[in-house]
Amino acid sequence: MTPAVRHPAEPAATPATTPATSPARRRRAPKPPSALLSRAGVTAVLALATVYTLAPLTWLLLSSTKSRADLFGTNGFALGEETHLAENLRHLFSADGGVYLRWLANTVAYAGGGALLAALFGVAAGYAFDKLAFPGKERLFALVLLGVMVPGTALAIPLYLLAAEAGLVNTFWGVFLPGLVFAFGVYLARVFSAAYVPDEVLEAARMDGAGEFRAFCRIGLPMLAPGFVTIFLFQFTQIWNSFFLPLVMLSDQDLYPVNLGLYVWYSSALAQGHPEDYLLAVVGSLVAVAPLIAVFLMLQRFWKSGMTAGAVK
């Protein structure tokens, strides 16, 4: 008896799929308890982080709508009897001869101009550390990494002493110039340069006769736009929230950034018994947060792409 011969066009027999191993059955299989607990734990942590982030902003917004009597006589997360936000804003911008607007303009100059130049210098330095070969490159980059680990508050007194030698104490430049150096931005820029700028493109540009500066301006800098925006946002936030360096460097109130000015009003409310200054500090804090939120919303498309750079290869 000869074995049956299968025709070439006839499909091979496949083992029957049992109900226990069917794809639909596998999809309906319940998740193990450990996975559910892990998911619930992550959700709980994220919920706590959200509450921790939004609770101060909520208190600040609600407190800014209250009168002075409601501010001290009601719960911090409760609304007052009436909304006084417009009145409080008018009082804020007219107090002490409108000095708050000057503080706000100073902060925009310190943070906006300083972060823009710091991002440009950082991107150029990171690009050079990544793409160029020069003696002592890795040793210099090790010094940059060392600068990343030193907190800014530890540098305030040395910077004050240097500014005193240069005659920059109590001047605009005494606060503006230190913001141009951002060691963490140089490190980020080197990482972005390695991920975004192919060496082959630069080699092609050099073969076409482009110098290093032209290759950076025409090729490297446009490719590093997400990194530039990310570094700008980091430094902008850092300078905008800077407090200790202006406190050490400045004594003229016309040069104060907004954080230092609000501290003066708050200290006046506590030490000299001026409750109206406490309300000014609260409303001024709300206004000072608005530019940061606006900048992040306007540039979110760039910094989102920058933060996820290299996630997928």
Side-chain angles (χ1 to χ4, degrees), residues 71-310:
L71 181 63
F72 295 100
T74 60
N75 183 276
F77 292 95
L79 291 172
E81 295 181 0
E82 296 181 3
T83 300
H84 297 269
L85 181 60
E87 178 184 345
N88 292 339
L89 289 175
R90 285 195 298 269
H91 182 44
L92 172 69
F93 295 135
S94 62
D96 295 339
V99 70
Y100 182 83
L101 290 175
R102 185 173 185 84
W103 292 341
L104 201 59
N106 292 340
T107 310
V108 170
Y110 292 139
L116 188 65
L117 291 176
L120 181 61
F121 296 155
V123 166
Y127 172 89
F129 276 119
D130 179 49
K131 301 302 181 186
L132 303 183
F134 51 89
K137 180 175 75 171
E138 296 304 326
R139 290 188 177 89
L140 288 175
F141 191 69
L143 292 177
V144 172
L145 295 180
L146 182 63
V148 173
M149 294 182 286
V150 178
T153 53
L155 299 176
I157 301 302
L159 287 173
Y160 172 81
L161 297 176
L162 291 174
E165 292 291 333
L168 298 178
V169 173
N170 199 30
T171 65
F172 171 85
W173 301 106
V175 177
F176 180 79
L177 291 179
L180 303 183
V181 179
F182 187 32
F184 184 62
V186 176
Y187 166 75
L188 278 182
R190 183 172 186 177
V191 174
F192 276 107
S193 177
Y196 276 89
V197 184
D199 294 334
E200 295 79 4
V201 177
L202 296 178
E203 288 296 331
R206 294 186 185 107
M207 292 180 63
D208 290 339
E212 295 296 340
F213 181 76
R214 185 177 180 183
F216 169 72
C217 293
R218 295 293 184 88
I219 299 175
L221 189 57
M223 289 183 174
L224 291 173
F228 179 91
V229 174
T230 303
I231 295 169
F232 171 82
L233 287 175
F234 273 115
Q235 185 68 344
F236 182 85
T237 305
Q238 179 173 308
I239 299 176
W240 190 276
N241 295 326
S242 177
F243 173 78
F244 192 60
L245 179 63
L247 177 64
V248 172
M249 198 73 67
L250 301 175
S251 58
D252 185 1
Q253 287 197 10
D254 289 337
L255 296 174
Y256 281 1
V258 68
N259 282 346
L260 190 54
L262 294 175
Y263 171 75
V264 170
W265 277 343
Y266 180 74
S267 301
S268 174
L270 293 181
Q272 302 177 16
H274 295 161
E276 63 277 4
D277 288 345
Y278 186 83
L279 183 59
L280 286 175
V282 170
V283 181
S285 299
L286 178 66
V287 175
V289 171
L292 284 176
I293 298 175
V295 169
F296 269 84
L297 290 178
M298 288 188 298
L299 300 177
Q300 62 177 335
R301 177 170 61 90
F302 294 97
W303 70 262
K304 280 183 179 179
S305 63
M307 293 298 289
T308 58

